[in-house]
Amino acid sequence: MRVTQSMLYRQTLATLNERQGNIMRAQDQIASGTRLNQAKDDPVAMSRVMRNDDMLTTLKRHDANIASLSSRLSFVEAELGSVSDLMHRARELMISGANATQSAESRSTLALEMRALGEDLLRIANGQDGQGRYLFAGQDDATTPFVEAAGVNYQGATSARQIAVDQSATMANGLTGDAVFLNGPAGDLFAMFDELADTLEMPTPDAASTAQRNADMDAGLTRVDDALNHVLDLRTGLGVDLQRLDTAAERISALQISVQTDSSGLRDTDVAQTLSQLAQELTALEAAQKTFTRIQSLSLFNYL
């Protein structure tokens, strides 16, 4: 096929337009700092960056869940620590009350403090986190879990809210009040404090009543120890959960860095490389312009 001047003209003009487009694209990449300004710049890379962006959104949500959950479980653990303190004090009162040198009046004073410990326990059981949500109400964390009505009654949920901390893992956001304060090996802890106070106040007019009180004191101490061990087990479980959350947070942080690095390599402009390409395109454009000028001159000469 014979190459005509008009064909050379069109081909050279197309080359000029292509070079100018490449130059503009390189300049835009340098100015914006990204080589993926639109999908057509690199469809495969753009698709991968979009998947990475979706993953980062999910990781950010899980990271926020972990931070919130860690804070809440730390509140729960601190409150259980306060429960342990109450139990230790109750144990001290029972040991003191078992001393044969105690008078009825001094035991009555011990009983008053024991009942006060029960009131403190109720305040702890109705404790809230930093957002005003009840710690021991389970999923119904907007509801006051324990109310006094012929004893202390639980009106929270029997299961805790599950929070996503990974693509395939969830974790409970706390403990339910019934599991902590009512259904442990020591039974109803609120009733326990009243019963321990009753034991301290038990009159002992004779040897038989004294023996009964001593037996009840021993049983009360055993019950307090059961409660202490129960709370210790719960605190140990929370400690394990908090460690798991720390590990999950570290894993998410590492994944975020990895995904961000991958996206950066795909999206960000390699300035040195792009400057080199720009210089090459400018040189090629200059050559194409000279060729185009010669073709135009030759075409004009043919008309003379």
Side-chain angles (χ1 to χ4, degrees):
M1 181 180 69
R2 188 169 67 89
V3 179
T4 65
Q5 287 183 342
S6 62
M7 291 173 62
L8 286 173
Y9 180 88
R10 288 194 299 272
Q11 183 178 2
T12 304
L13 184 60
T15 300
L16 281 172
N17 290 333
E18 180 183 358
R19 297 301 181 190
Q20 288 173 338
N22 291 342
I23 289 169
M24 291 179 62
R25 185 159 48 253
Q27 290 172 334
D28 287 343
Q29 290 176 1
I30 293 171
S32 66
T34 176
R35 72 180 191 88
L36 297 179
N37 293 299
Q38 46 190 333
K40 69 178 183 179
D41 291 338
D42 188 335
V44 174
M46 180 63 81
S47 176
R48 188 162 146 192
V49 166
M50 291 174 66
R51 287 197 301 272
N52 285 348
D53 288 344
D54 289 341
M55 182 179 293
L56 286 172
T57 298
T58 300
L59 290 173
K60 184 177 180 180
R61 183 173 66 254
H62 289 159
D63 193 40
N65 286 349
I66 288 172
S68 176
L69 190 53
S70 293
S71 174
R72 182 175 172 85
L73 293 186
S74 294
F75 272 105
V76 173
E77 201 282 330
E79 292 290 59
L80 289 182
S82 297
V83 173
S84 291
D85 292 341
L86 294 182
M87 296 301 169
H88 282 295
R89 181 54 184 161
R91 197 175 195 284
E92 292 171 356
L93 293 176
M94 293 301 287
I95 292 173
S96 180
N99 193 315
T101 62
Q102 293 282 3
S103 65
E105 290 76 14
S106 62
R107 287 196 178 93
S108 179
T109 300
L110 296 176
L112 285 174
E113 184 177 351
M114 187 70 77
R115 295 189 194 281
L117 293 179
E119 294 172 0
D120 290 341
L121 182 68
L122 180 58
R123 282 192 289 272
I124 292 171
N126 284 331
Q128 297 170 296
D129 63 17
Q131 297 179 333
R133 314 298 292 184
Y134 289 100
L135 294 170
F136 299 106
Q139 295 188 54
D140 298 336
D141 54 11
T143 301
T144 304
F146 291 97
V147 294
E148 289 186 276
V152 177
N153 299 304
Y154 181 63
Q155 58 181 10
T158 56
S159 60
R161 195 183 307 278
Q162 297 293 317
I163 306 298
V165 296
D166 202 339
Q167 291 280 36
S168 58
T170 61
M171 188 177 293
N173 73 338
L175 302 169
T176 60
D178 57 342
V180 177
F181 300 100
L182 300 179
N183 298 331
D188 184 335
L189 298 186
F190 305 104
M192 181 189 76
F193 278 97
D194 283 335
E195 291 163 10
L196 294 177
D198 290 342
T199 298
L200 287 168
E201 291 176 327
M202 181 185 297
T204 54
D206 51 39
S209 59
T210 299
Q212 182 61 55
R213 186 193 64 199
N214 291 340
D216 290 347
M217 295 286 283
D218 289 340
L221 273 172
T222 299
R223 193 174 178 187
V224 171
D225 287 341
D226 287 342
L228 269 170
N229 290 331
H230 175 56
V231 173
L232 177 60
D233 288 342
L234 294 175
R235 294 181 71 186
T236 299
L238 286 172
V240 172
D241 286 344
L242 287 168
Q243 287 180 342
R244 287 177 57 199
L245 289 173
D246 286 343
T247 300
E250 291 173 0
R251 183 173 64 252
I252 285 177
S253 178
L255 278 173
Q256 286 176 320
I257 292 173
S258 176
V259 173
Q260 288 167 347
T261 300
D262 183 56
S263 290
S264 178
L266 294 167
R267 179 189 285 138
D268 295 350
T269 301
D270 185 330
V271 177
Q273 181 180 358
T274 306
L275 284 172
S276 176
Q277 292 173 348
L278 178 60
Q280 293 174 10
E281 291 293 343
L282 287 170
T283 300
L285 176 63
E286 183 179 357
Q289 287 173 332
K290 289 179 180 179
T291 300
F292 186 69
T293 300
R294 286 197 299 270
I295 292 174
Q296 283 184 313
S297 298
L298 181 59
S299 298
L300 180 61
F301 177 78
N302 288 338
Y303 283 102
L304 296 178

